[in-house]
Amino acid sequence: MDSRLQRLLYISSVLGLCRPDDIDLVKGSASKAKQISFMDQLLDLVCTVDASEDPTKRVMSSPGLIDESMSLREQADHDYQLVDGIARREDVKALFSNDVELLPLDLMKQMKIALKEQGISDKESVSLPDFQSLVKSLDEVSAQLERSTSHLEELKHNYAYPNYEEQWSERVSKTMQLSLSELAQMVTGFTFTFENEIRQWCNRAPPALTDVGKAFKRVYVLLQHFTEMLHNLTSAKSSFHTIKQIAEDKGSSAVPHRHQETTKLASSCDEAMGSLRNCISVLETSLATSQHYTDK
């Protein structure tokens, strides 16, 4: 091959006009489309160089293509640094990837979640839906949108909504802000109390219970009965004093009857005292039993 052709091929490949082995394009024996593309790119480079030498010619009218404040060589150096910085910061493999995301990121995320729920991984190929099913779904969504729009228009026609008032809106906003700040303070106080007082008692193993609780329960029941009996004794004492006062007011004619009532009351008190002694003995026995279990 001629050295001049090799030289032209090397320069063209360095400029990015062709491949390093595309000698037919340099010879002029390639297809017409390739030669036209080659000449278009070459003319674009010539116009760029011409505009860089004299920016006032405005050969290339695209904004930002040629910077008037620096020469073409300086701008090329800046471009090289930009490409080098992009290659260092980004993943070059992902930057020049052949995969194209057809959907926005939010929809892609929702689609991945839906596929994961169906048990399909991201690497598995998913068959495209049928066109007729897509058209059917589109018709259903359109009909639903029309129904919602008509319902909204009906509400707008039947109900008169108040006009927007800036003063009223500002008052409501301040009220909501105050309520939310109070709620935030309450939540902060609850969180502090929970972290310092309650959390240490959470998620603990249940305690091992013993029979002491049953003994304490029996003691508590006996104590309730004892308290009730004391109230009854107090009531009997007050009744006795009342009867005694009435008998004294009636005079000596009621002495035999008063003596009989006093005798009955004394016998009732003796019975109550006997029950009290029994309750006290049972209480002492229960206390001794509970103390025995506690010592063990």
Side-chain angles (χ1 to χ4, degrees):
M1 186 171 55
D2 192 359
S3 60
R4 291 179 298 176
L5 293 177
Q6 291 181 354
R7 185 72 175 174
L8 289 175
L9 179 62
Y10 174 74
I11 295 174
S12 300
S13 62
V14 169
L15 293 176
L17 299 177
C18 64
R19 297 192 303 271
D21 58 348
D22 203 353
I23 188 63
D24 294 335
L25 185 61
V26 177
K27 288 181 178 181
S29 60
S31 63
K32 185 184 295 185
K34 285 187 176 182
Q35 294 184 29
I36 292 174
S37 176
F38 177 81
M39 295 304 297
D40 286 339
Q41 295 179 16
L42 181 59
L43 291 175
D44 289 340
L45 289 176
V46 173
C47 293
T48 302
V49 173
D50 192 11
S52 65
E53 297 297 336
D54 188 5
T56 58
K57 293 182 179 180
R58 301 295 181 183
V59 179
M60 302 298 292
S61 59
S62 299
L65 183 61
I66 299 299
D67 190 1
E68 300 180 3
S69 62
M70 62 181 69
S71 64
L72 182 62
R73 184 176 296 277
E74 292 176 351
Q75 187 171 357
D77 292 337
H78 284 282
D79 294 340
Y80 294 153
Q81 293 177 4
L82 176 62
V83 173
D84 185 66
I86 293 175
R88 291 178 182 275
R89 288 196 304 268
E90 302 293 338
D91 187 3
V92 181
K93 184 178 179 181
L95 188 64
F96 297 99
S97 175
N98 296 326
D99 297 335
V100 178
E101 299 292 347
L102 300 179
L103 298 176
L105 294 178
D106 54 347
L107 295 181
M108 287 294 298
K109 185 177 180 181
Q110 294 181 5
M111 188 177 70
K112 289 180 180 179
I113 294 174
L115 292 176
K116 187 176 181 181
E117 291 177 353
Q118 296 177 5
I120 302 174
S121 62
D122 298 339
K123 298 181 180 179
E124 296 181 8
S125 59
V126 182
S127 60
L128 296 176
D130 186 19
F131 179 75
Q132 297 297 331
S133 62
L134 292 177
V135 173
K136 183 178 179 181
S137 301
L138 181 61
D139 293 337
E140 293 177 356
V141 173
S142 300
Q144 184 178 2
L145 181 60
E146 290 180 358
R147 290 194 299 269
S148 301
T149 304
S150 62
H151 184 61
L152 181 61
E153 292 294 336
E154 183 180 357
L155 291 176
K156 184 178 179 180
H157 179 72
N158 295 334
Y159 300 97
Y161 294 96
N163 296 327
Y164 174 77
E165 296 181 1
E166 185 177 357
Q167 185 177 3
W168 178 81
S169 178
E170 184 178 0
R171 185 171 63 252
V172 172
S173 299
K174 289 183 178 179
T175 304
M176 289 292 295
Q177 184 178 2
L178 181 60
S179 301
L180 291 176
S181 61
E182 292 178 354
L183 179 61
Q185 292 178 1
M186 292 176 62
V187 171
T188 303
F190 173 77
T191 304
F192 179 79
T193 305
F194 178 80
E195 292 292 338
N196 293 277
E197 303 294 338
I198 303 177
R199 180 178 289 277
Q200 58 182 344
W201 303 103
C202 297
N203 298 326
R204 285 193 172 187
L209 301 179
T210 60
D211 295 334
V212 180
K214 298 179 179 180
F216 275 107
K217 185 176 181 180
R218 291 195 300 269
V219 171
Y220 178 73
V221 172
L222 292 174
L223 181 61
Q224 284 184 330
H225 292 319
F226 178 70
T227 304
E228 184 178 359
M229 186 183 64
L230 290 179
H231 285 295
N232 294 332
L233 289 175
T234 304
S235 177
K237 183 178 179 181
S238 61
S239 300
F240 174 74
H241 287 293
T242 303
I243 293 171
K244 182 179 179 181
Q245 186 65 32
I246 293 172
E248 289 178 355
D249 294 338
K250 287 184 177 180
S252 59
S253 59
V255 172
H257 180 69
R258 182 179 61 186
H259 180 71
Q260 185 179 2
E261 293 293 334
T262 303
T263 304
K264 290 181 180 180
L265 183 59
S267 62
S268 299
C269 290
D270 291 336
E271 293 178 358
M273 289 299 294
S275 300
L276 177 61
R277 293 189 187 94
N278 293 331
C279 291
I280 291 174
S281 63
V282 173
L283 182 61
E284 290 177 350
T285 304
S286 300
L287 288 174
T289 305
S290 63
Q291 184 66 28
H292 177 69
Y293 282 116
T294 303
D295 294 338
K296 285 185 176 181

